[in-house]
Amino acid sequence: MPWQLIILNGTQAGRSLVLRERDSLVVGRADHCDLYVADKGVSRTHCYIWEKDGEVWIKDTDSANGTIVNDREIKEQRLIIGDLVKFGNTILELRGTNSEMKEQRFNTSRRRANTILLRKNKDEPPFSLEVAQGLRVKRDIALLHRIGKILQIEPEITKICILVLETLLTELGVEKGHIFLKPISEESDTISFFRIYVPSQKICLDQIFLTHRSIVNLAIFKSESTISTNPFMDEMVESLNAPSNIHSILCVPIEGKKNPLGAIYMDSGNTRKFDKEDLDFIAAIGNQLGLSLERAIREQKIANQEQETWKSWNSLVQNFRDVLYRQESNKNFLLISPSIERLTGYSKEEYSLHWEECIQPDYREYVYESKQKAFLGEDVEIEYKIIHKNGDLISVQDCFCPVHEGKNNTISCIQGIMRKR
């Protein structure tokens, strides 16, 4: 049965060579090689690939940088459909050529992709398909749980996006990631968060990288999710000193209730290729992120409105001619306007500590009883006298208006005092 060897990356990407029964190929950088590879990391005679009794074998020729099969360095090994062979920076895949091998190729490639994706240590043996799928599901569930906690706890849009992006990169082992958000309001600008993952240090760096704008636009404006391999191939200039890598791009929309809010863009670099399961998984995260961002946007708008309301209220309090104060039934003051000093001679702090002493003794019991009526829900207006800090007696009017707040139905009072005229 004929076999096919296909180069997946670099300037020779797409080039293939058929391996027939009893064929033997020399792979390397020398002119005499059957499969010439223009890669500085490949030895002149790097390895042999041959067919024997319906099987394909590969043998390294003690090359300088070694031969890697599915993330493991080998000396001699049998190859099966879907195996990925790496020498230098070039990746080659073994495929069958006849139609009856298509389903086997798909399943084997998926198994190898899962194996490479999930193996933490390159010296560990390959997983079976069932084990690899089980580990992938387990990883995805754990990752969804982590991201769910971020979306539940974090209130700030910027922090949500950065933590989600860094979690995806570190847990999936993806090289680069970008979250793009459209303007939240007419006054705001677009927001972009770039991260590059450094596996050796297990950290993410804030660093801008080249993105494929048309793929991002498909997600943002048409709600389309995309996987693309080597989208920059026509734009890249490569040489022996700058070997190419596989760029597997994945981009999904961050869906809002009506329209996309932005996009999640991921570049695997030369680590692996994304598949449909990756696309579905990241798309689900994009949906959850969109709902959380809409909630955060609503809360931010409410907070801004409350802040404006507080500014207006505070301006009213600060500039109120008479005295405005709020007191709880336990006699603690929640608010006293600055005008209290002009009326009594006491600062706000002094009055809150000594207000009972400021009431002329003959009126104290009367004032206490009137406040209790207000705490029970009545509107009360009284007249009494207070003692100024300089000893003068001042006649005042006091209006008690009950305010009901809190789950315990605590009653406070907003009170106005003014000099009797």
Side-chain angles (χ1 to χ4, degrees):
M1 181 189 73
W3 307 79
Q4 192 175 25
L5 300 167
I6 298 180
I7 297 178
L8 300 180
N9 66 326
T11 56
Q12 296 175 286
R15 182 185 173 191
S16 64
L17 195 63
V18 175
L19 183 68
R20 302 185 184 278
E21 186 177 356
R22 298 182 181 178
D23 275 357
S24 178
L25 303 177
V26 180
V27 180
R29 196 157 47 88
D31 294 336
H32 67 269
C33 293
D34 301 298
L35 181 58
Y36 170 75
V37 181
D39 185 334
K40 194 174 182 179
V42 174
S43 298
R44 292 180 57 79
T45 302
H46 196 96
C47 65
Y48 300 115
I49 300 177
W50 70 95
E51 194 277 346
K52 180 181 179 181
D53 298 330
E55 297 179 343
V56 177
W57 289 79
I58 185 170
K59 181 178 181 180
D60 184 75
T61 59
D62 295 325
S63 59
N65 295 316
T67 300
I68 310 295
V69 176
N70 298 326
D71 207 28
R72 296 185 65 193
E73 186 171 353
I74 60 96
K75 290 298 182 183
E76 182 174 336
Q77 180 172 313
R78 183 171 72 90
L79 299 178
I80 61 175
I81 292 176
D83 276 346
L84 298 178
V85 181
K86 181 179 179 182
F87 21 78
N89 290 290
T90 299
I91 298 177
L92 178 147
E93 183 178 5
L94 177 66
R95 298 181 183 177
T97 57
N98 49 1
S99 58
E100 63 267 19
M101 295 300 296
K102 287 185 178 179
E103 184 64 24
Q104 180 185 350
R105 182 178 67 224
F106 171 77
N107 290 331
T108 307
S109 296
R110 184 176 63 177
R111 181 190 68 198
R112 292 301 179 185
N114 286 342
T115 300
I116 296 171
L117 172 66
L118 293 165
R119 191 184 308 135
K120 298 297 184 181
N121 186 338
K122 68 178 183 180
D123 295 325
E124 295 177 8
F127 301 122
S128 67
L129 175 60
E130 293 76 14
V131 172
Q133 288 177 331
L135 288 173
R136 183 169 188 158
V137 170
K138 184 177 180 181
R139 180 209 65 187
D140 288 352
I141 291 174
L143 184 52
L144 282 173
H145 178 69
R146 285 192 61 186
I147 290 178
K149 289 187 70 175
I150 293 171
L151 299 181
Q152 181 181 12
I153 295 172
E154 292 299 335
E156 297 180 12
I157 294 174
T158 298
K159 205 164 185 180
I160 289 174
C161 292
I162 291 175
L163 288 175
V164 167
L165 183 57
E166 291 185 351
T167 301
L168 287 174
L169 295 183
T170 54
E171 291 300 316
L172 298 179
V174 176
E175 184 177 301
K176 303 170 186 176
H178 174 212
I179 287 183
F180 176 88
L181 296 183
K182 294 193 292 188
I184 295 172
S185 64
E186 294 181 357
E187 297 80 20
S188 62
D189 298 322
T190 57
I191 304 174
S192 289
F193 304 97
F194 289 88
R195 290 294 185 272
I196 292 182
Y197 178 51
V198 183
S200 60
Q201 302 178 40
K202 296 184 178 181
I203 60 172
C204 290
L205 303 179
D206 182 2
Q207 185 175 331
I208 294 176
F209 57 88
L210 182 64
T211 59
H212 203 287
R213 189 65 191 180
S214 62
I215 293 177
V216 177
N217 288 340
L218 283 175
I220 294 172
F221 298 110
K222 294 188 177 181
S223 294
E224 292 186 10
S225 300
T226 305
I227 291 178
S228 179
T229 301
N230 289 335
F232 302 106
M233 186 59 65
D234 295 335
E235 304 170 22
M236 296 176 66
V237 178
E238 302 178 14
S239 67
L240 293 178
N241 295 323
S244 67
N245 296 320
I246 290 179
H247 282 267
S248 186
I249 303 298
L250 181 152
C251 189
V252 300
I254 300 173
E255 293 285 4
K257 287 186 177 179
K258 295 182 179 180
N259 298 302
L261 304 178
I264 300 176
Y265 178 99
M266 306 184 77
D267 184 339
S268 69
N270 64 347
T271 57
R272 64 185 180 90
K273 291 192 292 184
F274 291 117
D275 57 26
K276 187 178 183 301
E277 292 177 354
D278 293 318
L279 189 70
D280 293 340
F281 179 67
I282 303 300
I285 290 176
N287 292 337
Q288 293 300 312
L289 178 58
L291 293 175
S292 294
L293 290 179
E294 284 193 330
R295 171 183 54 79
I297 290 169
R298 286 196 304 270
E299 292 177 353
Q300 185 174 335
K301 287 181 178 178
I302 292 172
N304 291 339
Q305 291 172 354
E306 290 177 347
Q307 189 175 11
E308 290 300 318
T309 301
W310 168 249
K311 287 181 180 178
S312 300
W313 168 251
N314 191 52
S315 177
L316 174 65
V317 171
Q318 297 298 322
N319 297 286
F320 201 65
R321 186 188 64 177
D322 297 312
V323 176
L324 181 65
Y325 71 91
R326 182 169 177 176
Q327 188 178 28
E328 294 182 308
S329 57
N330 60 11
K331 300 182 181 181
N332 288 332
F333 285 89
L334 300 178
L335 170 71
I336 305 177
S337 62
S339 52
I340 190 70
E341 189 166 359
R342 184 173 61 250
L343 179 66
T344 66
Y346 292 98
S347 66
K348 293 188 295 183
E349 293 75 15
E350 291 173 330
Y351 185 80
S352 64
L353 295 174
H354 306 292
W355 67 275
E356 293 174 298
E357 300 170 14
C358 293
I359 301 173
Q360 206 273 340
D362 294 341
Y363 291 93
R364 286 176 186 170
E365 187 173 349
Y366 172 52
V367 172
Y368 296 156
E369 291 175 355
S370 300
K371 287 190 175 186
Q372 289 305 312
K373 291 180 182 179
F375 291 138
L376 293 173
E378 295 184 32
D379 290 336
V380 181
E381 184 175 335
I382 62 174
E383 296 181 4
Y384 59 97
K385 292 184 179 181
I386 61 174
I387 305 170
H388 194 278
K389 191 174 184 179
N390 63 14
D392 293 341
L393 286 178
I394 302 171
S395 296
V396 298
Q397 293 176 330
D398 204 338
C399 302
F400 303 97
C401 303
V403 177
H404 300 263
E405 284 187 351
K407 61 183 180 181
N408 296 322
N409 200 31
T410 302
I411 299 176
S412 303
C413 288
I414 297 177
Q415 306 168 354
I417 306 177
M418 51 188 151
R419 188 187 295 267
K420 185 177 179 182
R421 296 173 177 82

